[in-house]
């Protein structure tokens, strides 16, 4: 491994920071440049909609590495630095100030950015998004001074902010085009659990409708009008309708892009000198047997080590199952696996759904595809074994909390 080689990482979020760490861990001794367009050194985003937003944790706790880590590890971290384009044939990146930086290998870790909604009033004062720490600060500030918040989109971020807002004493209406929250990711059975959780905490839902206009007669949000004509008063509106992978650089440099940068199971793009990891990567998953793009923390944590191995000439593949967690009110949960809405034929519950202490399993033809443990802990490894073993399970045993998960479950 030549110490004269120069590796560049674009995007200084979780995946970028872990990429730099993995390069040193795996023995790369050359130059590492980590370029990020935010002002903060790499930090984790989950607290932005949870403990940091609620004021129970300091931002310092979210940093991926201590400040001196970058210098100590000879990582040239450049903040407030945006890459404008990649020249793949000359192997350099160009910054917005015109500076060119050569690379031997490049990691794309540009993440994702929140979608907007194309309705009148979408840019009024009081319309909020959540991706960066500054967004979380703005929401926190808003929650301290308003009576009612409208959340557009009942996905993870919308629901987590709804939870924080209710705990701050703010009235919350969640507007969602589907019939239930999280319906596309969880299916009806478990989506009902999240709907009940939020209703119990006083959240109002408006399902199967959308925002027609954000009302802001003098430039400041006063409410929303829905497509069904209903008007809801609110002094702030959070748009939480999902994210798009940040593929600008990849598209412009003609890498293969389709819902993210298309990479193989080793996280290499079509260009052997360029890998991608984290929210921006749409990778072939060898266990699931298909391309998937995962927008979760654990993926941004673990993929970079594989991408780095590929940068260094290795051939290992990324085969971790998607893993996700959330905290809302007193509900904490972990989800392992991946199921598209038309892929499962039943959901089985183990434990007490009413008390919100249970494990849900998504099955297809008697095999477990995914599992979610709600307020039950230390079962991820057992759920993982159930999924990866591909065994046909005994349905009764699976649903019986008295039968240990690691025994007698196979039929
Ligand atoms: C509020 C919030 C809560 C979340 N909660 C959870 C959770 O509870 N559980 C969970 O599993 N996941 C959660 N996630 C998702 C998780 O945070 C993401 O999966 C993770 O941040 C992805 O990391 P990344 O490094 O791939 O991308 P990002 O974190 O998006 O980092 C990419 C970085 O690249 C920068 N960048 C982009 N283009 C350029 C360019 N041209 N030049 C320079 N820099 C550029 C971006 O500005 C950004 O700083 C949450 C996300 C958010 C926003």
């Amino acid at each position: 491994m030549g110490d004269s080689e120069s590796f560049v990482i674009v995007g200084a979020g979780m995946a970028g920071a872990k990429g730099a760490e993995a390069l040193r861990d795996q023995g790369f001794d050359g130059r590492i440049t980590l370029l990020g367009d935010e002002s903060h050194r790499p930090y984790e985003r989950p607290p932005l909609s949870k403990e940091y937003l609620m004021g129970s944790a300091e931002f310092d706790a979210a940093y991926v590495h201590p400040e001196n880590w970058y210098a100590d590890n000879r990582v040239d971290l450049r903040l407030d630095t945006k890459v404008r384009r990649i020249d793949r044939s000359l192997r350099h990146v160009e910054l917005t100030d015109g500076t060119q930086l050569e690379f031997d290998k490049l990691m794309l870790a540009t993440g994702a950015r929140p979608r907007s909604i194309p309705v009148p009033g979408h840019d009024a004062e009081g319309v909020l998004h959540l991706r960066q720490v500054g967004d979380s600060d703005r929401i926190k500030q808003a929650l301290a001074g308003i009576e009612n918040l409208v959340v557009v989109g009942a996905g993870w971020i919308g629901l987590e902010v709804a939870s924080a807002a209710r705990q701050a004493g703010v009235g919350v209406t969640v507007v969602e085009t589907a019939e239930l929250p999280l319906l596309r990711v969880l299916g009806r059975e478990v989506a009902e659990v999240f709907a009940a959780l939020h209703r119990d905490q006083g959240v109002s839902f408006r399902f199967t409708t959308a925002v027609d206009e954000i009302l802001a007669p003098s430039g400041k949000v006063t409410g929303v009008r829905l497509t069904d004509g209903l008007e809801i008063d609110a002094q702030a509106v959070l748009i939480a309708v999902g994210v798009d992978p940040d593929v600008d650089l990849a598209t412009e440099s003609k890498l293969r892009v389709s819902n993210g940068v298309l990479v193989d199971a080793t996280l290499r793009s079509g260009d052997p000198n360029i890998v991608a990891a984290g929210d921006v990567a749409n990778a072939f998953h060898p266990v699931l047997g298909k391309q998937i793009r995962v927008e979760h923390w654990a993926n941004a944590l673990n993929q970079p080590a594989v991408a780095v191995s590929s940068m260094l000439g290795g051939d290992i593949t990324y085969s971790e199952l998607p893993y996700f967690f959330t905290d809302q009110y007193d509900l904490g949960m972990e989800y392992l696996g991946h199921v598209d809405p038309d892929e499962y034929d039943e959901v089985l519950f183990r434990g007490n759904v009413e008390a919100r202490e249970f494990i849900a399993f998504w099955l297809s033809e008697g095999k477990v595809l995914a599992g979610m443990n709600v307020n039950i802990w230390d079962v991820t490894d057992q759920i993982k074994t159930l999924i990866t073993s591909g065994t046909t399970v005994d349905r009764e045993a699976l649903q019986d909390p008295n039968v240990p998960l690691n025994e007698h479950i196979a039929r």
Side-chain angles (χ1 to χ4, degrees):
M1 241 169 278
D3 58 7
S4 57
E5 279 190 299
S6 182
F7 285 10
V8 168
I9 302 173
V10 185
M14 178 71 151
K18 284 285 158 187
E21 183 183 313
L23 277 169
R24 290 296 179 233
D25 283 354
Q26 294 181 32
F28 179 66
D29 200 33
R31 184 176 175 80
I32 304 174
T33 310
L34 175 55
L35 304 167
D37 60 4
E38 291 185 65
S39 307
H40 294 273
R41 70 178 188 271
Y43 59 91
E44 306 191 14
R45 300 188 196 277
L48 303 184
S49 51
K50 308 180 186 67
E51 59 271 27
Y52 177 70
L53 179 60
M54 290 190 287
S56 58
E58 297 293 324
F59 183 58
D60 275 5
Y63 285 121
V64 180
H65 295 112
E67 194 169 4
N68 58 1
W69 183 89
Y70 297 91
D72 290 352
N73 288 278
R74 292 180 295 116
V75 174
D76 181 7
L77 170 64
R78 302 197 196 175
L79 301 175
D80 294 311
T81 301
K82 189 170 171 77
V83 175
R84 176 162 69 193
R85 58 183 287 274
I86 302 168
D87 190 320
R88 295 208 278 128
S89 52
L90 295 177
R91 275 202 266 136
H92 67 234
V93 296
E94 186 178 298
L95 311 182
T96 42
D97 68 3
T99 309
Q100 293 178 350
L101 297 172
E102 289 179 7
F103 66 82
D104 294 294
K105 302 280 177 192
L106 179 84
M107 180 188 293
L108 275 174
T110 48
R113 51 186 178 217
R115 289 188 197 123
S116 188
I117 54 169
V119 299
H122 68 91
D123 52 358
E125 191 185 334
V127 176
L128 304 160
H129 294 85
L130 179 50
R131 185 74 189 176
Q132 303 188 351
V133 60
D135 301 326
S136 183
D137 290 335
R138 273 185 287 280
I139 297 170
K140 196 188 293 189
Q141 204 181 2
L143 294 182
I146 61 173
E147 267 178 46
N148 294 302
L149 170 75
V150 165
V151 174
V152 185
W156 296 113
I157 292 195
L159 294 183
E160 287 176 359
V161 174
S163 163
R166 287 301 300 131
Q167 291 174 79
V170 172
V172 178
T173 306
V174 177
V175 179
E176 165 61 50
T177 49
E179 285 165 57
L180 282 169
L182 300 164
L183 187 58
R184 195 180 47 84
V185 279
L186 298 182
R188 179 168 301 279
E189 301 81 352
V190 180
E192 304 268 17
V193 174
F194 281 88
L197 169 74
H198 283 268
R199 281 201 184 102
D200 286 356
Q201 299 287 341
V203 170
S204 300
F205 283 107
R206 296 283 159 192
F207 292 126
T208 61
T209 183
V211 172
D212 199 29
E213 179 172 354
I214 296 174
L215 307 170
S218 55
K220 212 171 160 188
V221 169
T222 59
V224 297
R225 191 179 54 250
L226 306 183
T227 46
D228 58 17
L230 184 77
E231 290 193 5
I232 305 168
D233 288 343
Q235 299 76 45
V237 176
L238 175 78
I239 311 294
V241 293
V243 294
D244 290 317
D246 196 334
V247 292
D248 289 356
L249 294 173
T251 306
E252 202 268 342
S253 61
K254 299 199 166 43
L255 287 170
R256 285 193 310 138
V257 167
S258 171
N259 178 30
V261 181
L262 285 173
V263 291
D264 64 15
T266 68
L267 308 183
R268 285 184 180 90
S269 71
D271 183 326
N273 297 315
I274 302 183
V275 298
D279 280 15
V280 78
N282 183 348
F284 184 80
H285 196 288
V287 177
L288 303 173
K290 60 182 172 186
Q291 294 285 143
I292 57 163
R293 191 175 66 77
V294 177
E295 295 166 358
H296 299 336
W297 172 90
N299 184 68
L301 177 78
N302 296 320
Q303 267 190 345
V306 171
V308 158
S309 151
S310 297
M311 291 170 101
L312 298 174
D315 251 328
I316 56 171
T317 58
Y318 184 77
S319 57
E320 295 283 328
L321 289 174
Y323 166 89
F324 177 77
F325 59 91
T326 187
D327 294 308
Q328 297 170 31
Y329 315 103
D330 56 358
L331 179 150
M333 78 86 184
E334 299 171 289
Y335 176 101
L336 187 77
H338 177 86
V339 202
D340 282 326
D342 55 354
E343 269 179 356
Y344 70 94
D345 46 40
E346 64 179 334
V347 177
L348 297 181
F349 290 97
R350 173 189 177 96
N352 189 335
V353 179
E354 298 258 293
R356 298 184 190 118
E357 261 184 44
F358 65 88
I359 309 177
F361 297 97
W362 285 257
L363 281 82
S364 174
E365 294 174 0
K367 293 179 181 159
V368 177
L369 300 178
M372 171 193 278
N373 46 301
V374 173
N375 290 340
I376 288 179
W377 305 107
D378 299 325
V379 289
T380 304
D381 286 346
Q382 292 154 40
I383 294 173
K384 186 174 178 178
T385 305
L386 282 172
I387 299 171
T388 52
S389 65
T391 34
T392 304
V393 294
D394 178 327
R395 297 173 69 264
E396 300 306 316
L398 189 67
Q399 292 171 91
D400 182 352
N402 297 315
V403 179
L405 261 189
N406 49 0
E407 289 172 32
H408 310 304
I409 296 290
R411 207 169 54 165

